Amino acid sequence: MNDDEPVLLHTEGHILHITLNRSRAMNALTHTMVRGIDEALSMAAGDDTVTAVVIGGAGGRGLCAGGDIRSIYEDARAGRRASVDFWRDEYRLNARIARFPKPYVALMDGIVMGGGVGVSAHGDVRIVTERSRVAMPETGIGFVPDVGGTYLLAAAPGELGTHLALTGRAVDAADAILCGLADHFVPSHRLADLTTALARTATPADLAETVRGCTAAAPEGELAAHRAWIDECYAADTVEEIIDRLVDSGVPAAKETAAALLTASPTALKVTLAAVRRAGRLGSLEAALDQEFRVSCRAFTGHDLVEGVRARIIDKDRTPRWNPAELADVSAAEVARHFEPLGDQELGLASN
């Protein structure tokens, strides 16, 4: 292993370990990392001595905080298209993970956001700890959930997925499991024991038994207690009506949520609501990724993504100047434009 490499690979027993190794950047994904993970999975799929893959993050703070947002910002500002190439390969990787022929175990310890969800939540065995914070926070930077996030959130119980998609709110272990983003809770102090035990597994049945032996009951989450107002308010057909219902609900947490939504990109909110609703009807992860690629390409050439990253990451003034600035000024035609086909630039996963 070379600690200077952004993706580290090593084998223990029959397990291939993939470690994201940009700890200073919270293991944010670069194009090189996406290609490295994809190549590792291709190798593992064809290697009979490898029975499972385990992915984790270096540094102890999290698996992955998402894509390299600063690079996307610089790319968009310069009028380049490297980010589109990155997303094309990243979304293909997300689909590969979901269809990987051997058990794929994701250690979702610490921060798991955006692209981090993409390399973990499509796996077979998704493990969270008391330190896990899982989120798709894209609307806060003028973007829309991607990496298959709209597909995952559309499948969450009731309107929980819509709530998380629009607010970008991070959830803990119990709520990640409730929403279908994770499977098992393992206390962080037992992760080392788990990975050691996994090295001794030779079959998927052995692996499943080993994981069960390390799991525990997750500390109580928050979302279950809020299902009533979440399901009622987010069942509305438009973002404006959702916010009205939140304000009128009489529930303090709902009113706070309405206020938070009004700080996000109006365009991103409307496109996100449409994307999650559409993803729920598409029927496959591949079709959802194709849709997300169209949306991401359109957002890349828009105003709000660059402005959102500027305000959150570059200048850190937390005062984005969205355009349009009001929900009422985001037309149905503008929302629909994000979903229009890309011609010969389509991702094409569903058709393949």
Side-chain angles (χ1 to χ4, degrees), residues 209-232:
E209 183 177 353
T210 297
V211 171
R212 283 196 299 269
C214 292
T215 59
E220 186 176 358
E222 298 179 358
L223 287 180
H226 296 296
R227 278 290 302 276
W229 65 262
I230 288 174
D231 287 353
E232 167 62 25

Side-chain angles (χ1 to χ4, degrees), residues 217-348:
E220 186 176 358
E222 298 179 358
L223 287 180
H226 296 296
R227 278 290 302 276
W229 65 262
I230 288 174
D231 287 353
E232 167 62 25
C233 295
Y234 287 94
D237 293 331
T238 67
V239 177
E240 290 94 330
E241 187 179 353
I242 288 171
I243 291 174
D244 287 344
R245 290 188 185 189
L246 290 169
V247 171
D248 295 340
S249 68
V251 179
K255 292 183 178 181
E256 292 172 5
T257 298
L261 287 175
L262 290 172
T263 68
S265 159
T267 300
L269 288 175
K270 286 198 171 183
V271 175
T272 294
L273 180 62
V276 172
R277 297 276 164 84
R278 288 172 177 240
R281 301 190 294 267
L282 287 175
S284 75
L285 170 62
E286 286 79 4
L289 287 165
D290 285 345
Q291 174 178 274
E292 290 174 356
F293 186 69
R294 297 181 196 116
V295 170
S296 296
C297 289
R298 296 280 160 46
F300 181 69
T301 60
H303 169 274
D304 280 6
L305 176 57
V306 169
E307 174 59 15
V309 176
R310 180 207 63 76
R312 180 69 63 90
I313 305 297
I314 307 301
D315 297 337
K316 300 181 181 180
D317 57 28
R318 304 280 176 166
T319 55
R321 296 179 287 275
W322 306 123
N323 185 20
E326 303 294 335
L327 285 164
D329 295 328
V330 182
S331 68
E334 174 59 17
V335 173
R337 185 183 69 83
H338 284 74
F339 298 91
E340 291 175 356
L342 298 170
D344 60 3
Q345 298 301 308
E346 284 284 309
L347 184 60

